[in-house]
Amino acid sequence: MGGSHSREGLELSDSDTEAEEDESETEEEESPVSSATPTGRSPAGTLKPGTAVSVDDVDSKLQSLKLKYSNSPSSITPTKNPNIKNAVKLYLHIGGSLPSAKWIISEKLVIYSFVKHSSSSSPYTSSHDGNLDVEDVEEERDGSSSPWFLKIGSKVRVKVGPGMQMKTFPDQKRVDFVADGVWAIKFYTAEAYGMFQSEYQNCLFENIYGFEANEENTVKVFGKDFMAWAKPDSADDSIWEDAVDNFDKPPVHASPVKQSQSLLDEFEEAVDEGGIQSLALGALDNSFLVSDSGIQVVRNFNHGVHGKGVSVRISGHGNNYSTPKKALLMRGETNMLLMSQRNSAKPHASGVDQLDIETGKVVTEWKFEKDGTDITMRDITNDSKGSQLDPSESTFLGLDDNRLCQWDMRDRRGLVQNIANSMESSVLQWSQGHQFARGTNFQCFATTGDGSIVVGSLDGKIRLYSKTSMRMAKTAFPGLGSPITHVDVTFDGKWVLGTTDTYLILICTIFKDKDGKEKTGFSGRMGNRIASPRLLKLTPLDSHLAGKNKFQKGQFSWVTENGKQERHLVATVGKFSVVWNFLQVKKSNHECYRNQEGLKSCYCYRIVPKDESIVDSRFMHEKFAGTDSPDAPLVVATPMKVSSFSISGRR
């Protein structure tokens, strides 16, 4: 199964009728999507431009059809009030990704409102000038913390939040979103569209942060230095442009991916034994598939990975093997640290096992301890982006909810304990680090080429620490309301990618100090010279097709040398591996950003679909880029198969 562009822009028929319409007579309706859909994705059909109509036009058409409407708010007849506010046309997408997929008109005229359980007097619920039926007001319930919902007639009621995957088309006065299906609403005037957007953003802010949306609370959430995040339309985008022009010039051998090229050049093979849980990609000869039964070795080639038919059976562990949640290559990729959860209910480990890959033996079982007290770690990673290639490497980093530290495997007594000769675990030495006050809720971390550290948190904050100090972050980016579940950073530290359940967030860390010198947020305080981030999202249709699955492990392509450029971003969501072009995402004049309001969101990506849920998707090391392609292969692992793709391969 090969790659494909995501499925946006399916043809909308000009003769679609209302869903569940019993009348035999139909009418010509305009399409909610114009022929200039602002995405970079290949349309499945030719889109027909729409013709704007007024409410009066719709009224006359409906009356000519003599359609039957009830007195419910979902089907208010225009003749009762010719100046209806919040009137929209509601569309439903049917057919999923099938060639026959299309939009149908669900309601020719329907009223939307923003409601919450105890707020009938709220400005967002009394939105019809007194025409709001009592059925639209939810039962009174105590607590102003009740969330806002978007209600559209009787067919749509959805909590306002990132899970709606809302995508806006200002030039079309249209909004698409997910709510147990894929919907679109089209407004009759630009003013009506603008009013909806304003109300939606206010409700979204309150649902996320628990405060009413106003200037004071915005400053409270983002701080004065980060107002560019709260008001991106007024932010200075020059940092992004400078970054593209000055820092990320494509290598000489690079060439743009042509229309005749795609992700379709694929090598796929079944693994010897199923149950793959994670990938440990190597930059040398081998990579490793960590499974329920052990570790399978695959060979690295310029076109991807091939199975060697070799499995490492873990020994020296009392036959008490449990699938590691993390496998970390180190010491010139001759050793691997295996981090297993002792309690499956909590993502923490009390220690790591050091595996000698050549012999397949656990040579040392290490225990996390500080000041004589056993502690746990949530995650581990290498000291720097390329330190797994260092044969003398003896330290690594650890992260727990409120701890960030470096561990040293060199025993202070000058001896390294062999697990075969002792029933006790060796104690790792706390080399440096800091135990923070409760509340940081660290979730994930990654390192740059020089050992600087980026940490993602449950509250959505992303903190940058220099390689010389783990006590205080040089920069702390505010959260956008969603927990950061995974984080990655480029080798040079100029770009950070955070993963949330519903979107990825790309942050530029470059700023100019008071002397005009360019720095990153790892080396100095950025102050108010901070650019707004970019969001990487799925379209509502692709999000719906991905089901209830969440984004996982957003990562850059793999570079471990100064001056080299990361070229792609990749993440998994269910059975999809999703790839963005990094250079394209950074360009402020990219067509995907035209007419967008608020934080810029990029929907230009390619999807690699698989038949089963994807465990991990990662780009191989840059050294495996072929002579006929500037891109290293993408490796996609499912529990039963491993696939390799050439991004620039011809169809």
Side-chain angles (χ1 to χ4, degrees):
M1 182 178 294
S4 67
H5 288 291
S6 45
R7 295 159 291 274
E8 174 84 354
L10 296 176
E11 184 172 356
L12 293 118
S13 170
D14 281 351
S15 60
D16 287 336
T17 57
E18 276 189 283
E20 303 175 12
E21 176 70 52
D22 292 331
E23 301 292 332
S24 59
E25 188 173 4
T26 62
E27 65 168 322
E28 295 294 312
E29 294 288 351
E30 78 275 7
S31 161
V33 182
S34 75
S35 59
T37 302
T39 76
R41 302 161 62 190
S42 301
T46 303
L47 306 181
K48 300 179 180 180
T51 302
V53 296
S54 66
V55 175
D56 291 338
D57 293 333
V58 175
D59 181 22
S60 62
K61 287 186 178 183
L62 295 179
Q63 290 187 50
S64 68
L65 290 175
K66 299 180 181 180
L67 299 177
K68 298 177 182 179
Y69 287 90
S70 69
N71 291 327
S72 69
S74 63
S75 53
I76 297 176
T77 306
T79 53
K80 292 185 179 180
N81 185 349
N83 298 313
I84 294 176
K85 288 186 177 181
N86 297 6
V88 294
K89 184 179 292 185
L90 180 65
Y91 294 82
L92 174 66
H93 189 276
I94 61 173
S97 60
L98 297 175
S100 59
K102 63 179 180 178
W103 291 93
I104 63 171
I105 300 171
S106 178
E107 296 278 4
K108 288 186 172 68
L109 186 68
V110 67
I111 304 302
Y112 78 83
S113 59
F114 291 96
V115 299
K116 66 189 317 187
H117 291 295
S118 59
S119 56
S120 59
S121 61
S122 164
Y124 306 130
T125 55
S126 56
S127 44
H128 312 313
D129 284 350
N131 284 331
L132 180 66
D133 198 288
V134 69
E135 296 174 14
D136 273 340
V137 180
E138 298 296 313
E139 295 241 346
E140 188 101 3
R141 200 163 74 176
D142 186 30
S144 59
S145 61
S146 298
W148 288 105
F149 288 81
L150 170 61
K151 187 171 183 180
I152 306 175
S154 61
K155 294 186 177 180
V156 175
R157 186 178 185 277
V158 58
K159 182 180 176 181
V160 174
M164 291 178 66
Q165 296 285 3
M166 182 170 286
K167 183 178 181 183
T168 61
F169 301 84
D171 56 330
Q172 301 175 42
K173 303 184 293 294
R174 167 187 163 215
V175 170
D176 293 3
F177 61 94
V178 177
D180 292 328
V182 183
W183 303 85
I185 52 177
K186 189 166 183 180
F187 302 83
Y188 295 106
T189 66
E191 292 75 18
Y193 169 85
M195 180 183 296
F196 172 88
Q197 278 293 92
S198 178
E199 292 182 0
Y200 172 82
Q201 293 298 332
N202 288 340
C203 293
L204 179 65
F205 184 94
E206 188 170 333
N207 276 3
I208 288 175
Y209 301 110
F211 305 115
E212 181 181 348
N214 56 42
E215 188 72 22
E216 180 182 356
N217 287 334
T218 300
V219 174
K220 182 187 300 184
V221 169
F222 290 97
K224 294 182 179 180
D225 290 343
F226 289 89
M227 293 309 292
W229 289 43
K231 301 177 180 179
D233 293 335
S234 59
D236 182 5
D237 249 6
S238 63
I239 291 295
W240 286 87
E241 296 306 322
D242 290 344
V244 172
D245 294 339
N246 297 336
F247 293 100
D248 297 305
K249 292 182 179 179
V252 175
H253 66 275
S255 59
V257 177
K258 300 178 181 178
Q259 290 297 320
S260 61
Q261 297 175 326
S262 71
L263 293 170
L264 295 181
D265 287 354
E266 174 186 13
F267 181 85
E268 180 179 83
E269 63 180 358
V271 297
D272 294 338
E273 298 178 16
I276 297 175
Q277 298 295 313
S278 65
L279 280 174
L281 288 185
L284 300 177
D285 294 335
N286 301 318
S287 289
F288 306 89
L289 309 175
V290 182
S291 70
D292 293 333
S293 58
I295 298 173
Q296 300 177 54
V297 184
V298 290
R299 184 79 172 177
N300 294 331
F301 295 97
N302 284 351
H303 57 273
V305 297
H306 286 251
K308 292 181 64 177
V310 176
S311 295
V312 177
R313 298 289 182 177
I314 309 299
S315 62
H317 208 319
N319 294 321
N320 191 26
Y321 175 78
S322 59
T323 307
K325 62 164 290 192
K326 185 70 173 279
L328 191 69
L329 288 168
M330 64 182 310
R331 291 189 172 174
E333 300 185 357
T334 62
N335 278 220
M336 183 182 290
L337 294 182
L338 302 176
M339 182 179 179
S340 302
Q341 298 170 225
R342 302 309 182 201
N343 183 345
S344 59
K346 295 183 179 180
H348 303 267
S350 57
V352 293
D353 299 323
Q354 183 181 348
L355 173 71
D356 182 287
I357 294 174
E358 184 175 351
T359 64
K361 292 183 178 180
V362 173
V363 294
T364 310
E365 184 177 326
W366 296 99
K367 182 171 65 174
F368 297 127
E369 181 182 296
K370 184 179 187 297
D371 300 329
T373 303
D374 293 345
I375 61 175
T376 61
M377 290 283 110
R378 173 185 284 272
D379 198 5
I380 57 174
T381 196
N382 297 105
D383 282 351
S384 66
K385 201 79 169 177
S387 60
Q388 72 184 57
L389 300 174
D390 182 358
S392 63
E393 181 184 28
S394 59
T395 58
F396 63 95
L397 300 178
L399 183 82
D400 205 33
D401 294 358
N402 300 298
R403 298 185 183 100
L404 175 61
C405 63
Q406 183 183 57
W407 294 105
D408 194 333
M409 296 189 295
R410 291 169 294 193
D411 193 285
R412 58 186 169 189
R413 295 166 295 180
L415 298 174
V416 175
Q417 182 184 19
N418 190 313
I419 193 171
N421 299 328
S422 175
M423 296 302 293
E424 296 183 359
S425 298
S426 297
V427 177
L428 288 160
Q429 302 306 307
W430 176 289
S431 176
Q432 61 170 318
H434 188 65
Q435 184 160 319
F436 297 85
R438 295 183 181 276
T440 53
N441 288 315
F442 294 150
Q443 297 291 297
C444 49
F445 68 153
T447 52
T448 66
D450 69 358
S452 298
I453 307 167
V454 55
V455 182
S457 300
L458 187 63
D459 59 5
K461 289 183 178 180
I462 293 178
R463 297 173 172 88
L464 309 183
Y465 294 87
S466 72
K467 62 180 179 180
T468 58
S469 175
M470 298 182 185
R471 296 186 62 86
M472 182 175 294
K474 291 289 187 181
T475 303
F477 295 103
L480 296 178
S482 299
I484 303 297
T485 60
H486 190 271
V487 72
D488 196 16
V489 60
T490 57
F491 185 84
D492 58 17
K494 294 170 183 173
W495 306 92
V496 169
L497 182 66
T499 304
T500 75
D501 289 348
T502 54
Y503 59 86
L504 308 182
I505 176 171
L506 179 64
I507 299 172
C508 178
T509 71
I510 303 167
F511 73 100
K512 293 182 180 179
D513 65 14
K514 59 183 180 180
D515 299 322
K517 184 178 180 181
E518 286 164 337
K519 294 182 177 179
T520 72
F522 291 99
S523 60
R525 294 192 175 278
M526 299 179 71
N528 60 4
R529 302 173 294 278
I530 297 172
S532 58
R534 302 273 163 91
L535 304 182
L536 282 65
K537 296 182 177 180
L538 293 180
T539 64
L541 176 57
D542 283 335
S543 177
H544 181 64
L545 293 175
K548 300 296 184 180
N549 296 292
K550 303 172 182 178
F551 268 122
Q552 305 281 346
K553 302 178 181 179
Q555 299 177 82
F556 295 97
S557 49
W558 190 10
V559 168
T560 57
E561 185 178 337
N562 274 321
K564 294 294 184 70
Q565 173 187 293
E566 292 82 355
R567 298 177 54 84
H568 292 92
L569 308 159
V570 63
T572 62
V573 52
K575 297 180 180 180
F576 294 163
S577 179
V578 190
V579 181
W580 284 264
N581 181 299
F582 188 24
L583 285 176
Q584 193 176 58
V585 172
K586 289 187 288 186
K587 290 181 179 178
S588 294
N589 62 353
H590 172 40
E591 63 178 10
C592 198
Y593 301 138
R594 293 174 187 169
N595 301 313
Q596 283 198 17
E597 300 171 338
L599 292 177
K600 289 183 170 64
S601 299
C602 185
Y603 296 94
C604 293
Y605 50 79
R606 291 178 175 182
I607 283 179
V608 180
K610 305 302 289 183
D611 293 329
E612 55 181 341
S613 292
I614 296 173
V615 171
D616 204 353
S617 302
R618 293 186 59 186
F619 282 95
M620 297 180 68
H621 191 269
E622 58 180 334
K623 67 180 284 186
F624 294 105
T627 56
D628 58 344
S629 168
D631 303 302
L634 173 69
V635 179
V636 180
T638 67
M640 302 302 295
K641 295 179 180 179
V642 61
S643 306
S644 303
F645 295 87
S646 174
I647 296 297
S648 299
R650 294 185 178 275
R651 288 183 184 274

